[in-house]
Amino acid sequence: MGRTNSDQLHGTLDMLVLKTLQQGTLHGYAIAVRLQQLSNDVLQVEEGSLYPALYRMEARGWLASDWALTDTGRRARFYKLTRAGRAQLAAETASWNRLTAAVAGVMNS
Amino acid sequence: MSLLRLAVAKVRALFRRNAVADEIRDEMQFHVEMRADEYERQGLAPDDARWAATTRFGNLAVMQDRGYDVRGGGIAETVAQDARYGVRVLGRQPAVTAAIILTLAVAIAANTALFSIFDGLLFRPLPYTTPDAIIRIDRPNNLPGAEFTELQDGLLATSMLTDRAQVSLGGLFEMGTQAVTDWGLAPAVVTPSFFDLLGVRPSYGRAFVADDRDRTNGGPRPLILGHELWRTRFGADPDIVNRVIEIPGTIFRNSWVVVGIMPPGFDFPSGSNLWAPVSQQQDYAPQFARLADGITIEMLQRQFPVATFTPLREYLRPRGAMAFAFLLGATGLLLVVAWVQIAALLFSRAIARGREIGVRLALGASHGRLIRQFGTEAVLVASAALVLSWLMARPLTAFVVRLLPAEITVGQMLEPDSRTLLFTCALSIVGVLLLTLLPAGFVRRTSTTDLLRGGGAGRARTSPLRVRSLLTMTQIAVTAALLYMAGLAVQSFSSVSAAPLGFEPARMVAVRLPVVTVTTRVLEPGAAPVVDREDLSRQMQLQLEVVEAVRSVPGVLHAASAERHPLQTGSPRTQTVTSKAAGSAIRVDAHITNVTAGFAATLGLPLMEGRDATPDDLGDRIGIVSNNSAPASVGSIMVVNSVVLVNQTLARALEPFGPVPGQVITVGNDDYRVLGVIGDFADGRPDQPPRPHVFVPAATAPFVIARLAPDVPGAEAGIRATFDRLWADRASRQIIRIEDEHVRTTADYRARSILLTLLGVLCLPLAIVGLIAAQMDAVRQQTRDIAIRLALGAEPADVRRRVVLRAVATVVGGLALGLAGGIGVGQLMSAYLYGVEALDAASVAIVASLLLGVSLFAALWPASRAARIAPALVLRDQ
C-alpha cells in the first residue's frame, strides 16, 4: 500500500472513531467524549482534527452522516458506520491485535 | 447512496462554496458549544468555558479549512479553480490571448472547411437517402426510333426501378441572356419524383407533388429555390414561400409561385439553384432512378443491354477529385503552423511565468497539478477557438466550394456536418495536448530553485531559446513549402491557360444538332432490314440547311459541322492507322473525326500541305459510321469519297515515306487518300499533347461550330433563332461557348493554385509573427547579456546586427528545409504540374526572396528593441 507515517497516524484515529461508532449513531462531540471516556482520559486528541478525519472516512464510504436533532433539541450532524466501515473496522482490529501481540511479545521477553 | 450524496455535495460545493463551508462551520460550532456547556456545568464562568472549549478544539479556522479540503469540491473544484486562474492569466495579456485564439480559430476553420470538402468529395456517403441504390441512366442518343421507344417504355415499366426521375436543364429559361447570367440562374426541370428519389426535403415549404405538373398550364408555375439564390435574391425571407414572383429569362413569360426553399449546399443535378416541375404530361425515359430491393446494376444491364447504368457515386465523383486530396495534407500543414505558433507563444509565456510557477512549486504544488493548470488554460484557448472556427467554417466552405470546378463539387452538399465537427474537435484535442505537454516538459526539466531565482530562463539558459527557434524554423519551413507548391501550381495554371490550343477559343460557339435517327425497313418478309435512304437524306438535307442558315446569320464569320467540338469532354473515336507506302513500318492509334468542309477555316487551323476538302470531294456513296457496338446506332452520316485530311502530328509520322498529300492510309479496314495536312489543335484537354488525328470529310456531323465576329452582339441570338425556325420541335437551346470549355478544362489547375496560394498566404503572417515573437523573447531574456555588452562598449549597430543575423539564420534554416520539402512534394505531384519542373528555380528564388525580405523587415523591430536597451537601468535592477 505504501502508506506514509501520517497515514498510519490517521489510521489509528480512524480505527478508534470506527470503534466508537460500532455501538450506534453519534455526532462529532459525542464521538470525542466517548473516545475520552473509553480511554480513561488517556487519549486526548486535539478535538478539531476529529472532523477532517470524519470527512475523509465519509469520502471513503466507511461512514454515512446526516443532520438530526439531539436529545436536547439541537441540530447536529450524526455519523454511523456503513457496511464498508464495519469491514474496515474488522480489518483494522485484526491488524492492531497482531501488532500489539507482537510488540507485547517483544516487551515481555 | 452515500456516494451519490457525496457527489451531490461536491457539485454543490462547486457552485455554492459557502453552503458547504457553512455546514462545516455549524458542525464545529456545535462541538465547541457543547464542550463549553460541559465546562460550565463543571463550574467555569461562561467566558472561561468558551475559551477552554475553543483551546481544546484547536484553531477553528484551520480546522474548517482542513475540513473543507476533504469535503469541498475536490477535482471539480480544483478544475474550476484552475479555470478561474487560467482566465485571469489569459486576461492579463488580452491582446496576445486574442491573437492566439484568432490564429487558432482561422487555422481550425480552414481545416474544417477543407476537410468537409474533401470528406464530402472522397469519403462521405452521398447526402441522399440510401445513395448506393440511386443510379444514373444513360441512353445512346442515336438509337433508331423503334428501339428508342422500346427502351424508354421498358425503363418506365420495369419493376427493377423505383422513384424514376426525369431531369432536364434550362428548357423553361432563355439561358445565356444578360438577366439570366446576372442572376446566376441554373434551372433544372424535374419530375416531382426527383425529390423523393434523393430524399432531400426543402428547409421551408414543400417539395413538388404530382399535382404540380398540372399547374403548369396558365397561372403561376410552382418553383423551388436553392438556398443561395434565395439568400442573395430574396434576402433569405422565409415568407417568400407561397408568394408569386418574377424570374428573368422565363420563356413563356409566366410568373412563378415559390413552394419551397432547399437546404444550403443542395445543387443537384448540375450546380442547380432553381427547380421547376416538368411541364408536359409526357413521360420520357428517366435519367435517375432507384434500384428496387435486391436488384443490382448487373441485373439491370442484362435486361437493358443498350443503356448504360452508373451508380450515382461514380457519376458524381469523378476520379479527378482524388487529385485534390493532397491539398488536405497542405491544409493540415497550415494547422501545424498555427499550433506551433500558439505553442511557441504559450511556451515563451511559460518561460516568462517561470517565477510564478516556481512559487507554486515551492508552496507544494505537484507537477501534476501544474500540468493540469497548463491543460486547463489550453482547453480554455482551444474551446474559444473551436466556437469561433465553427462559426467561420460554413462561409469559408462555401467560399472554397465556389473556387473548385463545378463538375467536381456538384450534388455533394459540401457543408460542415457532424463528421466535420468531430474532426475539428480531434484537431483541437491534439493541439491541447501539445500546449499542455510542451510547457510541462519545460517545467519538469527545470529545477524549482532555477525557476525562483531567475524567473526561469532568465539566466540565458539556451535550451528553451533553442526549442523556440526550432519551432520558428518549423513554421518558416512549412510556409516555404506551401508557398513553393503554390508557385508550382500558379505557374502550371498560367502555362496551361496560355498553352497554345491551335485555335482561338474566344468567340467560338458550338450547338448540338438534333440526333439523326435511322429508320430501317424490312422490304420482304425474312430479309435483312435496309436503311430508309429517303428518310436519311431528308434529315441530312435539314442538317445541311441549318449549317447554311447559321453561316448566313449576321456576325457569324465561319461555320462548319464536326463530330465533336474542340475541348469537348470525353474521348474521340480512335482507330489504327497504317500507311500503304510504309508497309508495316507505321501503325499508330489516331483520333477519327468527321468534319464538313470549312472545318479548318472555322477553327482557323492553318493548311500546312496539300489542299482542304471541298464539298466536291464528297462522292455519292452513303456510309454509316458506327459510334458503338450496337449495330443500328449511327453517329454521323457521310458520303464517302475515300479522301481525308490529317493533322501535323500524324503527318510527321508519315513524312519519311514520301510527300504526305497523296499517300494512301488505311483507317480500320478502309483506304483513304490524304488530301492535305492541317495544323494541330487541342481536341480534349489543353494539357495533353495533340494525338495523331484523321479528319474524314462528311456532309453533316452532330455539332455546328461557328466563329463569331467581334462586336456583333446579336450573333448568338441569331443562331438560336435559326434553330427555332428550322427545327423548332427538337432544337437544342444550349449554345456551348468554347471559351467556357477552355476555362472548364483548366479549372482544376486554377483551383489548385488558388487554394495553395491561399494556404501559403495564411501561413505567411503566422510565420512572421512567430519569428518576431521569438526574437522579442530572445531579446527580453538576454536583456542582461545585451546590457553588459553595451556597457562594455558594443555599438548599438552591433547589437542590432546580431539580432537580425540570428533571425536570418532561423529563416535560412527553415527555407532550406521547406524548399527541399516543397521540391519533394512537387516530384510526387508531378502529374498535376504543367510547363514547370518540380525543381523550379524561379519559384525557389521568389519564395526565398519573399521570406527573407519579409523576415529581414520583421527582424528590425526586435533588433531596434535590443539596441535601445539602457545598460545602466538594466544592470542596476539586477
Side-chain angles (χ1 to χ4, degrees), chain A residues 25-36:
Chain A
T25 306
L26 294 174
H27 51 68
Y29 177 70
I31 293 171
V33 171
R34 178 75 65 87
L35 268 178
Q36 194 186 338

Side-chain angles (χ1 to χ4, degrees), chain A residues 47-48 51 55 74 77 79, chain B residues 23 27 31 33 35 57:
Chain A
E47 289 181 355
Y51 287 90
Y55 299 157
R74 300 183 59 172
R77 191 192 276 276
Y79 294 85
Chain B
E23 272 197 358
E27 191 177 8
H31 184 115
E33 282 166 17
R35 179 60 74 194
F57 190 84

Side-chain angles (χ1 to χ4, degrees), chain B residues 425-440:
Chain B
C425 289
L427 287 184
S428 314
I429 288 168
V430 171
V432 165
L433 283 179
L434 188 74
L435 291 197
T436 310
L437 296 182
L438 204 71

